Amino acid sequence: MRARASAAFGLAVPAIATAACSGPQSALDPHGVEAQAVATLFWWMTLAGALIWCAVIGALVYAGRRRRRVFSARAAGRIVLWAGAVTPSVLLLILLGYGLALMPDLRPASALTANDRLHVEVVGEQFWWRVIYHRPDGPPVVSANEVRLPVGTRVAFSLKSADVIHAFWIPQLGGKMDMIPGRTNRFSLQATRAGTFRGPCTEFCGPSHALMAFAAVAMDEEAFAGWLEREAGPAVRTEGPGLDAFLANGCGACHTIRGTPADGTIGPDLTHLGARKTLAAGALPNTEAAIARFVAAPEAVKPGARMPAFGMLPEREIAAIAAYLAGLE
Amino acid sequence: MKVRINWKRAAIALAVLPVAALFVAWLGFFNVGAASGHWKITEWFLHFAMRSAVRTYALPIAPPDGPPPVGVRPAAGHYAAGCAMCHGAPGAPRGATVRAMLPAPPALTAAALADWSDAELFRIVKHGLRFTGMPAWPAQARDDEVWAMVAFLRRLPELAPRDYRSLAYGEAPPDSAGDVANRFEGALAGCARCHGRDGTGGGETVPVIAGQRPAYLAASLAAYAEGRRASGIMQLAAGQADAALFDRLARHYAGQSAPAAPPTDAAPELIERGRAIARRGIPERDVPACLGCHGRPERNPVYPGLDGQRPDYLANQLRLFAAGVRGGTPYSHLMTAFADELTVRERAALAAYFASRPAR
Ligand SMILES: [Cu+2]
């Protein structure tokens, strides 16, 4: 009985431990320079920790089982000095030096000088992300709830908050850094491999904190340029019953759809909503049915969400709006 | 024989007492009839207790500072429909049935009202008087209406019957409601007492409903009648009208032409500030642009027009939204979502701006 329980435990622990080693939100499956450096640091520290643990346990077993004689006072003093003070200090100093050496790449100075081509501003708001791409050529591109960046280029980020403290982290690329009201925090990221990742909000910010995330997409340089060009453009459809219902019910007071009269800036920009990976900051899959569900009762999907419910609209109007928004690729 | 009182006996007496009281009540000898009146001493005691309680409960009530309450006219209209049948009115004394109540509602003469401070009158009108038949204000959230009623009560004793009629009934003669055979005309005459037949009457706190969107008017009447929008005055008026007539009343008033907005004395900077918020909102505080919902014909028909509306009314509604007590149609939470972010000055600016726009 005991043996079986401990066998189950022995299997469960590695299974749980390795479950975190891959997947869209794992810092141990790095796709960026910073995440790679942090992952390497992690493995070195784990290795060093394991060696020290073995040495300590070895010494303990040796002292308790093998060696029955008492050390002389001088020998004991030497052991304490070398094994208890010098060795740990040297090890810690090496790790500290290694960690400090990693810092400059993640710090503001390099964030600003290393890249003058693309700069992404991300504003945390309860419970979603406003994302603005500042290009050297052309006006800023406003988007939301998704961050895209080109592989192989260092991208500068400026992080802000509109209300309470949030934190920005894409575990597979790098981070994390707090978004503090009244401050602009800067850092930079460089993706090394293409992929789609998840960025959770990592500072408790209210009832829907756990439902505040975004998709991060690293794309090849060319694909990214094409995407940004499209993202900068107006909506693909600027008429139809869905848009009419959208405007008639005042959604445009809070949301922008470029190319239409809707120019509100309270909520996420919806110009290319249909092309996003997720809906409502990672809370739902981005489907027509999910859009209808969210518009009718945002509170039911995300407690505390700052969008009023429109469940009192006739169902067919909600359906028309959802179909229109889902089509905004 | 000597009865000695000890703890045990006292406890038994205490346990038996309520049973005995129930038994006596069940026998039914106590006279609850109103005809014979109270003994003098009972009457003195009851009034003493009532006056003391009103005085004590009125202690924390402070009359609103600032200009004297507006809205005496709709208060007069409400008095005619909701109070005069008990308390009488100039030219319309209390009826015999009412005078046979116990206690009888007093005629609200100068002498009767002189005993009460404004705060005490507020307390009586808002909370009513238990065991007397004096009702509470139907909308407990609307202190502004109660203060308007207190202001009206102060004027009531000196009103000549003609002045009272014109205040309470406007242009509509008081008996027209009785004569008309047509139910719609009867209901309309009731509304006309405050709003006029053309929807422009009533004074500062009564909205111009002429030219308002019919779907909004009908939905608002239903909201008052069903208690989803708090107003002691309109809940009574809508409750007295036949709900089947709401659509026709709404269409009647929607079809009237709104008056040109009267020249405003608001400062141009105030109007300018209102215009800026109406156009762009206040994004830092999540206040959306008002014109995203209000003021375009292609918008949802339940979204009311605000152009040319009375500024006092607009500011008061924004205050009620901010306090979370406005209620309204099934769409009213759209306003509650952000109204508490507006400062008093911003509400005044918005009211001044919309009031200055040419009526819809
Ligand atoms: Cu957050």
Side-chain angles (χ1 to χ4, degrees):
Chain A
M1 191 61 220
R2 237 248 239 105
R4 211 172 322 140
S6 64
F9 188 69
L11 284 177
V13 167
I16 292 169
T18 50
C21 291
S22 62
Q25 199 181 298
S26 170
L28 300 181
D29 181 15
H31 281 61
V33 173
E34 287 69 28
Q36 181 66 61
V38 172
T40 310
L41 175 67
F42 171 82
W43 287 121
W44 275 115
M45 285 180 68
T46 309
L47 186 67
L51 286 177
I52 293 171
W53 187 80
C54 290
V56 170
I57 297 299
L60 187 72
V61 170
Y62 173 72
R65 289 257 167 106
R66 297 286 302 269
R67 192 184 162 92
R68 299 277 170 200
R69 280 178 296 114
V70 176
F71 278 108
S72 70
R74 257 186 82 197
R78 235 182 287 131
I79 290 175
V80 169
L81 177 69
W82 285 100
V86 177
T87 313
S89 302
V90 169
L91 281 177
L92 285 177
L93 279 175
I94 292 174
L95 283 175
L96 179 67
Y98 181 31
L100 285 178
L102 291 178
M103 298 290 276
D105 271 355
L106 312 172
R107 288 301 94 186
S110 65
L112 292 182
T113 51
N115 186 303
D116 54 1
R117 285 188 296 172
L118 180 68
H119 155 211
V120 186
E121 176 184 342
V122 184
V123 187
E125 315 210 2
Q126 282 171 327
F127 298 96
W128 60 283
W129 315 83
R130 192 187 297 275
V131 182
I132 306 167
Y133 297 85
H134 296 277
R135 307 176 287 177
D137 51 342
V141 181
V142 180
S143 178
N145 293 335
E146 192 162 293
V147 171
R148 295 197 179 223
L149 67 177
V151 168
T153 315
R154 186 153 284 282
V155 179
F157 283 85
S158 53
L159 306 176
K160 302 178 181 172
S161 165
D163 34 51
V164 299
I165 302 180
H166 305 269
F168 182 88
W169 187 25
I170 310 170
Q172 285 181 274
L173 294 184
K176 72 188 252 260
M177 191 174 270
D178 278 0
M179 309 167 107
I180 299 170
R183 268 188 71 108
T184 302
N185 282 346
R186 298 172 198 283
F187 82 142
S188 69
L189 287 177
Q190 183 173 341
T192 49
R193 283 189 285 158
T196 301
F197 322 112
R198 184 170 185 273
C201 177
T202 36
E203 182 66 52
F204 180 74
C205 61
S208 277
H209 163 66
L211 293 167
M212 174 168 173
F214 59 91
V217 186
M219 312 167 78
D220 295 334
E221 192 94 38
E222 234 165 76
F224 177 79
W227 172 82
L228 191 59
E229 199 50 50
R230 257 174 290 126
E231 189 71 11
V236 290
R237 268 163 55 205
T238 52
E239 57 185 23
L243 177 62
D244 292 347
F246 186 89
L247 294 173
N249 290 302
C251 315
C254 289
H255 294 288
T256 295
I257 299 179
R258 287 193 300 280
T260 77
D263 61 356
T265 57
I266 312 286
D269 184 295
L270 303 178
T271 308
H272 298 288
L273 178 74
R276 284 188 209 146
K277 303 267 179 207
T278 66
L279 183 74
L284 291 174
N286 193 4
T287 63
E288 203 177 307
I291 296 178
R293 193 177 144 211
F294 183 77
V295 170
E299 177 74 24
V301 175
K302 292 180 84 168
R306 295 290 180 82
M307 164 156 156
F310 280 87
M312 65 287 185
L313 293 184
E315 223 165 277
R316 107 196 100 68
E317 258 180 62
I318 297 184
I321 292 175
Y324 170 70
L325 292 178
L328 293 181
E329 303 253 319
Chain B
M1 198 185 96
K2 222 172 123 195
V3 181
R4 268 207 271 129
I5 300 175
N6 60 22
W7 286 114
K8 207 166 148 203
R9 294 225 171 98
I12 291 172
L14 267 181
V16 169
L17 217 63
V19 180
L22 261 182
F23 180 70
V24 172
W26 177 80
L27 287 178
F29 288 141
F30 178 71
N31 180 4
V32 296
S36 52
H38 291 303
W39 291 336
K40 273 268 174 306
I41 172 101
T42 320
E43 189 176 322
W44 172 85
F45 177 76
L46 290 174
H47 265 100
F48 169 74
M50 184 271 269
R51 287 180 171 273
S52 307
V54 169
R55 181 200 62 220
T56 302
Y57 277 92
L59 286 179
I61 298 172
D65 38 34
V70 286
V72 168
R73 289 195 52 178
H78 183 73
Y79 184 90
C83 321
M85 75 280 223
C86 281
H87 291 288
R94 291 169 297 160
T97 43
V98 166
R99 271 182 284 129
M101 280 171 69
L102 183 65
L108 297 177
T109 58
L113 293 173
D115 290 356
W116 302 109
S117 71
D118 283 357
E120 286 164 345
L121 282 180
F122 176 90
R123 168 76 204 178
I124 293 173
V125 175
K126 180 172 177 191
H127 294 271
L129 295 170
R130 194 176 287 195
F131 304 135
T132 72
M134 166 67 199
W137 196 258
Q140 286 291 303
R142 294 298 301 269
D143 287 0
D144 57 323
E145 292 183 335
V146 179
W147 283 116
M149 178 56 84
V150 171
F152 167 74
L153 290 180
R154 288 290 177 219
R155 286 185 56 187
L156 177 64
E158 53 200 59
L159 287 177
R162 246 197 35 224
D163 301 337
Y164 168 74
R165 261 207 306 281
S166 86
L167 206 54
Y169 294 90
E171 78 236 40
D175 44 348
S176 63
D179 302 343
V180 278
N182 182 324
R183 274 172 48 250
F184 172 71
E185 283 300 324
L188 185 59
C191 316
R193 295 190 297 114
C194 290
H195 292 286
R197 287 184 68 93
D198 63 356
T200 65
E204 301 93 322
T205 53
V206 176
V208 174
I209 53 175
Q212 183 57 280
R213 313 182 81 190
Y216 171 69
L217 292 179
S220 295
L221 285 170
Y224 285 125
E226 291 158 21
R228 284 182 282 110
R229 181 169 169 187
S231 163
I233 294 175
M234 267 310 294
Q235 280 175 250
L236 177 69
Q240 285 175 341
D242 181 349
L245 293 173
F246 286 172
D247 273 335
R248 267 188 83 185
L249 289 166
R251 267 183 280 122
H252 166 84
Y253 280 117
Q256 306 295 311
S257 55
T264 160
D265 52 0
E269 310 87 73
L270 195 67
I271 294 181
E272 200 41 56
R273 176 87 186 105
R275 186 200 319 274
I277 301 175
R279 293 234 173 115
R280 286 184 298 280
I282 312 174
E284 317 81 88
R285 276 183 271 147
D286 283 0
V287 175
C290 319
L291 296 180
C293 287
H294 292 286
R296 297 236 173 78
E298 66 275 19
R299 293 283 183 266
N300 186 321
V302 180
Y303 294 5
L306 308 175
D307 296 348
Q309 188 55 279
R310 296 193 168 108
D312 284 343
Y313 172 76
L314 288 175
N316 197 32
Q317 296 300 307
L318 287 173
R319 182 183 66 78
L320 294 169
F321 277 124
V325 298
R326 159 64 154 69
T329 73
Y331 290 82
S332 63
H333 64 286
L334 297 181
M335 286 295 301
T336 326
F338 61 82
D340 58 348
E341 292 290 340
L342 296 168
T343 64
V344 174
R345 196 180 144 75
E346 284 161 354
R347 299 200 298 248
L350 285 159
Y353 166 66
F354 281 109
S356 74
R357 308 228 310 167
R360 42 209 174 236

